[in-house]
Amino acid sequence: MEIKTPSFRVETLDESKTYHHHQYPQIILGVMGKSELSIEDSSVCLSPGMGYRINANVEHSFSGTSNNQVLVMNLPPFISMTDVEQFGNSNFSLDARTHQLISLLATELKESANDGVLSQSISNTLQCLIKRSLMYFDEKRVERLNMALIDSYIDQHIQQKISVAELSSVAFLAQSQFYALFKSQMGITPHQYVLRKRLDLAKQLIAERQKPLSQVAQLCGFSSQSSFSQAFRRLYGTSPTRYQFFIR
């Protein structure tokens, strides 16, 4: 497949993963819903507003849950747009305003597939917006994590399993970079931090005395009441049952 100019398409991904590669660089951008990119033995969650650039001839696959939508941008091998090749495979983020514009343009692009003139105009605008976002993101120097953003994600998903891949996607960093920066900044690993957040919530729910311990364990994201009790005892030195008794 020979590509002479950047080309765009809007896709809805299914849950299957099929690895492939191509002879041109590619940018994929989350527009809506939740999708996942698997590349170089790691996974990246492509939440809305997050993009990933992939070099030519790199094995990767995409998958997504229901109601997802991604914008795919295929680039000519010789593309000079921010010299994509020099950056390697990496993720980037859009500011809220740019994401909103690109979402609207992606919808219009999908609905105007038969209008060549309009499609080309939309593609040109998308190219400019993504170019600006790439240039801005690569000029930034990430020194500290936005813990308010990370805490918000954890709070919203506290009942579910939360992986380092998901948290690194929220911070728009590679997993290794996120892990090292998180441990340096917080003094503990992301896993330990999430566990403490779960147990802090458990203490709060126990103090309210409105739910049985089995439901507290479920609401805090533990797979069983037994695993909840073990984690609670390790951190606080007492069982949830004894803690509940002493706060009467």
Side-chain angles (χ1 to χ4, degrees):
M1 178 181 181
E2 182 180 0
I3 297 178
K4 296 182 179 180
T5 60
S7 63
F8 294 85
R9 68 180 186 274
V10 180
E11 289 190 6
T12 297
L13 305 173
D14 58 31
E15 295 182 1
S16 61
K17 290 186 178 182
T18 303
Y19 280 87
H20 63 283
H21 67 275
H22 25 69
Q23 295 180 335
Y24 47 85
Q26 188 177 68
I27 290 173
I28 181 168
L29 177 68
V31 176
M32 62 179 289
K34 185 176 179 180
S35 51
E36 183 178 281
L37 164 66
S38 296
I39 183 172
E40 297 181 334
D41 300 321
S42 64
S43 296
V44 177
C45 294
L46 292 174
S47 52
M50 178 179 175
Y52 202 98
R53 53 196 173 210
I54 307 167
N55 272 357
N57 300 311
V58 174
E59 288 283 336
H60 60 279
S61 71
F62 303 123
S63 61
T65 56
S66 59
N67 298 321
N68 74 82
Q69 196 173 83
V70 296
L71 178 67
V72 179
M73 180 180 183
N74 295 330
L75 305 171
F78 54 82
I79 188 71
S80 61
M81 191 188 77
T82 70
D83 294 324
V84 170
E85 292 88 345
Q86 70 174 301
F87 299 115
N89 308 304
S90 62
N91 49 358
F92 65 96
S93 62
L94 304 176
D95 59 80
R97 184 167 177 266
T98 301
H99 175 241
Q100 185 178 29
L101 282 171
I102 287 180
S103 296
L104 292 171
L105 288 169
T107 299
E108 191 65 31
L109 181 67
K110 190 172 184 179
E111 294 177 354
S112 306
N114 296 325
D115 188 329
V117 175
L118 180 56
S119 294
Q120 187 59 53
S121 297
I122 293 173
S123 295
N124 291 339
T125 304
L126 286 169
Q127 180 178 339
C128 291
L129 289 170
I130 293 175
K131 176 181 178 180
R132 185 183 68 181
S133 296
L134 282 165
M135 292 176 66
Y136 171 72
F137 192 78
D138 285 300
E139 289 171 355
K140 292 194 298 182
R141 295 294 182 267
V142 179
E143 297 179 354
R144 290 188 65 82
L145 295 170
N146 184 342
M147 291 307 299
L149 187 64
I150 293 171
D151 284 340
S152 176
Y153 183 88
I154 294 172
D155 291 342
Q156 292 176 35
H157 300 83
I158 198 72
Q159 296 183 40
Q160 307 164 19
K161 182 179 179 181
I162 300 174
S163 67
V164 174
E166 290 174 296
L167 295 179
S168 63
S169 295
V170 172
F172 301 107
L173 294 171
Q175 288 187 53
S176 57
Q177 184 183 6
F178 171 80
Y179 188 94
L181 187 56
F182 191 100
K183 193 169 182 181
S184 173
Q185 181 173 326
M186 303 305 296
I188 56 177
T189 67
H191 173 76
Q192 291 170 327
Y193 185 82
V194 171
L195 180 59
R196 289 189 183 183
K197 293 275 286 183
R198 296 188 194 280
L199 293 172
D200 284 345
L201 175 60
K203 285 180 71 175
Q204 177 185 328
L205 294 176
I206 291 172
E208 293 172 358
R209 303 186 60 78
Q210 295 180 357
K211 297 176 176 64
L213 293 179
S214 59
Q215 189 176 359
V216 169
Q218 182 180 7
L219 291 172
C220 295
F222 290 94
S223 58
S224 67
Q225 188 173 342
S226 174
S227 62
F228 163 56
S229 297
Q230 291 175 10
F232 195 98
R233 185 187 295 275
R234 279 196 300 269
L235 185 61
Y236 300 122
T238 187
S239 68
T241 303
R242 289 181 63 81
Y243 178 79
Q244 187 178 50
F245 176 80
F246 284 117
I247 62 172
R248 288 180 180 179

